[in-house]
Every structure is written in structure tokens, then in C-alpha cells.
Amino acid sequence: MKLKHFLFAALFFVVGMANAQQFGPIPVNKNVRQGKLSNGLTYYILRNNWPENVANFYIAQRVGSIQEEEPQRGLAHFLEHMAFNGSEHFPDSTLLEFTRSLGVQFGSDLNAYTSIEETVYRISNVPTKRQSALDSCLLVLKDWSNGLTLDDKEIDKERGVIHQEWQLGQNAMMRIYDRSLPKLYPNNKYGLRLPIGLMSVVDNFKYQALRDYYHKWYRPDNQCIIVVGDIDVDHTEAQIKKLWANATVPANAAQVTKLPVEDNEQAIYVFDKDKEMQNTNIGIFMKHDVFPEEMKSSQAYYIDSYMKTMISMMLNQRFSEMKQKADCPFTSAHGYDGNFMLSSTKDAFSLSCSAKEGKDIEALKAIYREALRVRQYGFTPSEFERTKQELLSQLESEYTNRDKVTSSQYGDELRDHFLKNEPIPSKEDEYKIMKQFIEMPALNYQVVNEYAKELISDNDRNLVVYIFSQDKPGKVDATEDKMAQAIKEVRAEKIEPYVDNVKSEPLLDVKKLPKAGKIVKETENKKLGYKELTLSNGARVILKKTDFQANDVRFYATAKGGSSLYGKADYDNLKLFNSVMGNSGLGNFSKQELTKALYGKQASANLGLGTYEQTVSGQSIPKDIETMLQLVYLKFTKVTKDQQAFDAMMKQYEEALKHKDLSPESVFGDSVSVTLYNHELRYAPLSLKTLKGVNLDRILQIWKERFANPGQFTYYFVGNYDELLSVHLLRSISVACQRVKQRTGRKFLASLRAKC
């Protein structure tokens, strides 16, 4: 069954189960000014005052390296470089001088990129104080559109720049891609059009060849102007119409067409290796048709996206759980649905992982086995419910901060609407539609499981698999035949259903908490807008309520001490202290159990040991402050020994450090660090030798010593927290039943005095 046919069947089912509720089009953000000139130029203009007093300018083009013919390989990317080397109104280097005068820096604010199917230029963070400066930025876009000079001398100068970029990019993975992409895309241009191109073309193309390419493809009907920021929309629109009024499209102009990617009836297996590969990368692709671009304006597209997101999140949770075991054959793994590698005309459900040394085939089998487990048995109701709550929590967090969406994010969304017809609803409409689908009973785990069967394949049709490995003397390579045999063996296995082990108990038993402390002093700094509390255990609490982010509360605590108090015998332990704390259990929960327990909560807390201080930090949304404070309390009082998580972490470090010296960047970085610290062993880079000196029990002892006295810390709370949590943070007061959580939250912070 084709995916789109399944989707329509699922949609029909959902509509029927929801009292025949009709799903219409996705509304377009009414604040976006859209237009299209008679010459085909598209434009989007959006007034957005976050951040204030700046604006972003973009020109997006439906043109990339896929438009190149064989003798032109590299021209699309070369042309992008030339846009900064002279144009009609900004000759030579005056463009950089002009933007620098505005405070816009080349590289960070002024830049561009070329990919397989698109080329996008941008000028970001332009101050909006002077309208003339904004008009000049539109003039820059106009020159990029059709006014590049492409001078002979500038072209010759840029050949060397491209060479340097190519040379910097010639790492192990890029060399493998150059050899492997033609095999992954047999008889297809996608396998032969990496944007950097061929240096033989870069060195030798004729000047006119670049100019011809420019005039052939850089046309108003292939272009879109995007302006987002603190701007006058009417004035901006008038300027765009004025500047592009005389731009024309030649008769019989070449059209940008989508290049299809063929189905493969037999599986494609590709193996390659390189001496500088630090680990083995594995990929499995199960290709399928893309969601039709013309249908992305329908709410059916959001249903499709929601189900794919749920499938990916649940599968990745399983991979994360597998990684917590030391005998897991991979150090990381991921599953998702999206474009098949470089192409927008074919999608794939993709699995990827980094294998441990000597475990290439085992890792390949492990990720495919888990995908087939999903295909055969689906996800459990508890997995589905937990993930749904996490997705809903993320959605609500984004919605609450809808007034703080950056112009850069809006710019990217408008770019994708032009290039890929991605929806551009208002944040309110997006939240309303997605929340409706997430909470819809008919879109249950059974429907999602059926969709997973369509995405995950158990046969060779449209299957593509690669293993990219290290070229090492004596290493047994995972050949294409071995890969095919591994896939065949997994399909023949009797795979058992997944068991979702979840602890249902709370993080803390609030009845067993120690007696709350008291506020012994309270002052307010009205000038800087913060309050300071002194607690009965000596701790200081600084509280600053802000609405900078409507759905964000941040916490930081610091005390003098740190790793400087320990000598040479603990150097190795100190280097991994923060990592061990992050991979330990809390209270009655192992690291794995804690991860599941926190799914659906936007709250975190972390311990840190610096050179001269120990710290506790945390972040949450307002409604999850209770959870954050529980975590903070446990970080002080009950970090538990999780041997399984520790062993898995140490194995991952071992895999990462084995071949670290194969990376020139890593060797250089270590050399700089050693020199800066004058070869002081305390600051020596991590190595395999470091791991041998690490002792979990000793690290837990250091934790007890450094965090035994919460009263020595100064605590900072900043964000949009409940006022009761600031003014009456530690007081025992009577509140209505609906405020029990806030009151308990105050008690948690008070209980930091517990082990003074």
C-alpha cells in the first residue's frame, strides 16, 4: 500500500470516529504580507518585534547544484561566493564595507548557503533606526537577484577560496560520500551533485560559463524576497515592487523541474572505509513516496507529521534505553522519517547508529531488529501515552512563548513555505490544530502502530543500507554480503514483544521530607528588581521575576569549593564527575527509570563541579517548577549508584577516545589545551588512561563532600514563576487546595537545609 493511500484511509477512519468532523486547510498567518509580481517574483513580509529594532532580509532561490550539468559541477556554489565580490550597486568589496557600517558582520549576519536544490542569501540583525539603511538592504537583494558583475579577476581570485573550502571539507566522511553516493543513488544526478563540485571544473571553467549559468537560473520566477522584523510593511512592499518592476524572464526560459528518485526492487548495500574514520556509521533507509507538496496546506499533513513524530520519539526512547546497557553494540542510535538523504523527491524511514569497535554487524542487526519489533508488535499503550504527554508539553511550551518567536525562525518558516510549500499558520492556529489531533481519542496508539507498519519494511524493495567504517590493519570488514546476510538473519528471528518497565511511584514522598526552614531576612532591591532572602540555614536566595520568556524559569546555585580542593589522586575522577552525576539515578529511580518518569515534564536539574565552585542548575516551565525543585532536592540528598548506567557511559567514553587522535582537529585542540595549561596534569585532555583511574564510589564520595551543606550555596531564581514561590518561598502558610503544588514547591526549597 502506498503511504498516501494509507494516510487517506487513516484520515477517513479518524473523521468517522470524530463524528465526521471535517479537517480543512491549514490557515495562513494573516500577518504575513504575501505577493507575486507579474514577472513571477514572490515576496513575504512580516512585522515582528522580537528582537526589537532589527530586521532580517533573505532571497531564496529554487536553484541548487542539481541544476548543473556535468561540465558545470560546482558552479552553483561558486556563484554564491561571487555574490559578495561585486555587483551593480556594490562594486568590489563595498558590500562588506556597507554592511559592516550597519554593525552586520560577514559570516555571522551576512552569509549564504548552496544545497542540492536551493540557494539562500541573508542579511540578519540589521538595525531599523534608519529607513535608508533598510532600503539599501533591499538593494543588495536586488543585486543578488540579477545584478552581479562577475568580474574576471574576482572569479580567478575566488577559485583559490573554493579550493581552500574543498580542502577543509576533505575529511573521512566526505571522501566516503564522494565514493558512495553514486552507489546509493544509482544512475541518478543526486549521487553526483554535492555542492562543492569538482575542482577540475572550479579551476578551468570559462568566465562566460558562470555568467551563462547565472542568467539562466537566477530569475524572478525562481526567487522569493523575505523581510521579517521591526519594519514598515507597506513601505517594504512598495520598495520591492519598485526595485523588481523591470526584472524580466526570458522567453522559453529553462524551468526548474523535480528530479525523481527511482525505486529499487533489490536491496542496495554499500560498504566503504577510511583510515581517518573514528567510528563506524551505519544507516538503513526504507524508501517511500513523499507527502505531496500540493497537499501540505491540508490538515492531513499535520496528521501525517504527528504520527511520524510519535513513531520516531517512541523508537528513539527504546534506542536510548538500549544504550544504557554496557553490552549494547552501538554508542548512539536514531530513527526518523524524512528525506532520503539528499533528495526531496523521495522520503525514507531511516535508522542510523554509531557502532562500537568490532560490533558493526551486531549494531546493524540491533537497530533493524528493534524496528521490526515495532512493525510486528507496535508500541505499547504506556509508551504512547507517555510520549503524547511529552509532545503536548513541548507544544504548550512553544505556544506560551509565541510572542517571543525570533525573526530568524519566522524567516526560515517563510523560506520553507516558498521552497517546499510547508505550512505557515499563526502560532495560535498551529497550537489549536495540533492540540486537537494530539488529544483526539481516535488517533490512538493502534492507528499509529498501523502507520509504523507502512513505514518500516520487512523486505528488500526500496531498502538501502550502508556501513562506513575505519580502515584499520587486521580489522574484519563488514562486506555487502555480510550486511545482506545480517538483514536476512534478523528477519528470520523470533522477536519478542517489548516490555515497558515503568515506575509509577512519585519522585519524592512529601510526607517524609524534613521540616521546612524559615526566612530570617528579606530585602528588596527596587532599582534592579530582585528580592533577596536569607534562610535559617544560612543560604541566600535571589529572586527576579521576569516575563522575558513567558514559559521559562531558570535556577542556578553556587558555592565556593570545587575541584581545586582535591589532589593528584583524584584528577581522573574529577574529569568525569559532571558526566557521572548526569548519568546517575536519583532517589529510588535508576537513570533509565528517571528518564521515563520525566517524560511529559519540562524540568531538569544538574550538578556541576568547577575549579573553584560547585553548582546546581535547573530549568523548567512554570507549571513544572514542582518537578524541578524535587530534582534539586534529590541532587542534594540522594544521588544513587547506578552501576549499569555508569558501565554504559564508560564504554561509550572508551569508544570515543580509542581513535580520537585520527582527527586532526582533535589533535590540534588537545595540543593547544596542553600548551595553555603548561602541561599541568589537572587539566590534561581526556584519554583512555583517564578512564582507568575513574572510580564510581570515589566520585559519589566527592559528591557527598561537596554538596553535603546546602546552606553554603547562593540560589538564583529567574523567570516567570508563580509569585507565591518568590514572596512566600519558605513560609508555612495555608492556601487553597488548588495551590497545594505551589506550597509543596516552597517546602522543597526550604528542605534544602535538610543535611546541613
Side-chain angles (χ1 to χ4, degrees), residues 4-198:
K4 61 183 179 182
H5 294 155
F6 173 80
L7 175 64
F8 295 144
L11 181 60
F12 178 79
F13 172 77
V14 171
V15 171
M17 293 295 289
N19 298 320
Q21 181 178 3
Q22 297 299 311
F23 300 120
I26 299 172
V28 173
N29 187 344
K30 295 178 181 179
N31 294 323
V32 176
R33 179 78 58 87
Q34 296 187 53
K36 191 169 186 177
L37 305 185
S38 59
N39 55 22
L41 180 80
T42 302
Y43 62 84
Y44 302 117
I45 309 168
L46 176 62
R47 178 174 176 78
N48 181 53
N49 62 356
W50 186 256
E52 298 176 340
N53 304 317
V54 293
N56 293 356
F57 297 78
Y58 308 81
I59 178 169
Q61 326 217 34
R62 293 194 186 100
V63 181
S65 55
I66 201 69
Q67 270 69 47
E68 298 167 349
E69 299 303 328
E70 190 64 22
Q72 300 174 321
R73 290 177 62 179
L75 291 192
H77 175 248
F78 200 107
L79 185 57
E80 173 221 310
H81 277 239
M82 291 302 298
F84 303 94
N85 292 357
S87 63
E88 179 183 350
H89 297 95
F90 299 90
D92 303 323
S93 62
T94 55
L95 170 59
L96 302 185
E97 295 171 5
F98 163 68
T99 54
R100 196 175 295 119
S101 72
L102 302 177
V104 173
Q105 294 300 314
F106 181 65
S108 55
D109 300 321
L110 177 69
N111 215 325
Y113 71 84
T114 303
S115 69
I116 299 287
E117 298 173 317
E118 62 195 55
T119 307
V120 179
Y121 302 81
R122 63 174 172 81
I123 314 172
S124 302
N125 298 315
V126 179
T128 57
K129 185 176 181 180
R130 290 188 297 115
Q131 183 62 53
S132 60
L134 304 183
D135 293 345
S136 294
C137 287
L138 285 175
L139 193 60
V140 174
L141 301 189
K142 169 62 169 58
D143 277 9
W144 284 340
S145 170
N146 56 32
L148 299 186
T149 51
L150 303 177
D151 180 76
D152 293 359
K153 292 182 180 179
E154 293 294 333
I155 290 174
D156 286 336
K157 284 164 55 178
E158 204 64 26
R159 296 183 201 266
V161 175
I162 301 292
H163 253 283
Q164 288 181 325
E165 185 176 340
W166 171 83
Q167 189 174 19
L168 287 171
Q170 284 303 294
N171 54 30
M173 186 56 71
M174 186 57 67
R175 290 191 293 268
I176 287 177
Y177 270 142
D178 282 337
R179 296 190 296 265
S180 300
L181 281 173
K183 301 175 186 176
L184 295 166
Y185 285 98
N187 304 312
N188 193 292
K189 282 176 70 174
Y190 278 112
L192 300 167
R193 289 298 181 271
L194 286 175
I196 195 66
L198 300 177

Side-chain angles (χ1 to χ4, degrees), residues 396-536:
E396 290 175 344
S397 181
E398 292 176 6
Y399 175 69
T400 304
N401 283 326
R402 62 191 179 279
D403 293 333
K404 297 295 189 295
V405 178
T406 65
S407 293
S408 294
Q409 181 178 333
Y410 276 128
D412 290 346
E413 291 174 0
L414 295 172
R415 173 202 64 196
D416 290 344
H417 183 261
F418 171 71
L419 294 171
K420 306 167 187 175
N421 200 33
E422 293 293 332
I424 50 170
S426 67
K427 299 307 172 185
E428 290 81 1
D429 286 334
E430 182 178 37
Y431 172 76
K432 180 180 178 181
I433 295 170
M434 287 304 301
K435 188 172 187 291
Q436 169 190 346
F437 291 147
I438 293 173
E439 295 180 338
M440 185 174 292
L443 269 176
N444 54 39
Y445 79 99
Q446 295 165 314
V447 174
V448 171
N449 285 343
E450 286 300 316
Y451 202 11
K453 289 182 182 179
E454 296 296 320
L455 295 174
I456 299 171
S457 171
D458 63 352
N459 60 71
D460 282 354
R461 189 174 191 276
N462 277 332
L463 181 69
V464 179
V465 182
Y466 71 71
I467 293 183
F468 299 152
S469 184
Q470 184 188 27
D471 185 2
K472 182 179 180 180
K475 185 178 186 297
V476 178
D477 291 335
T479 64
E480 282 90 349
D481 288 342
K482 291 179 181 178
M483 295 158 61
Q485 182 62 29
I487 295 295
K488 182 178 179 180
E489 289 174 0
V490 174
R491 288 173 180 164
E493 291 178 8
K494 178 176 174 53
I495 300 174
E496 297 296 325
Y498 172 78
V499 178
D500 187 24
N501 294 314
V502 184
K503 271 193 174 179
S504 57
E505 64 185 79
L507 290 177
L508 279 176
D509 184 348
V510 296
K511 296 179 180 179
K512 295 182 180 180
L513 288 174
K515 184 179 178 181
K518 297 180 180 179
I519 300 172
V520 298
K521 184 180 180 181
E522 180 175 339
T523 61
E524 182 174 2
N525 187 316
K526 294 184 177 180
K527 183 176 181 180
L528 297 179
Y530 70 84
K531 296 176 182 179
E532 180 174 345
L533 311 179
T534 302
L535 311 188
S536 54

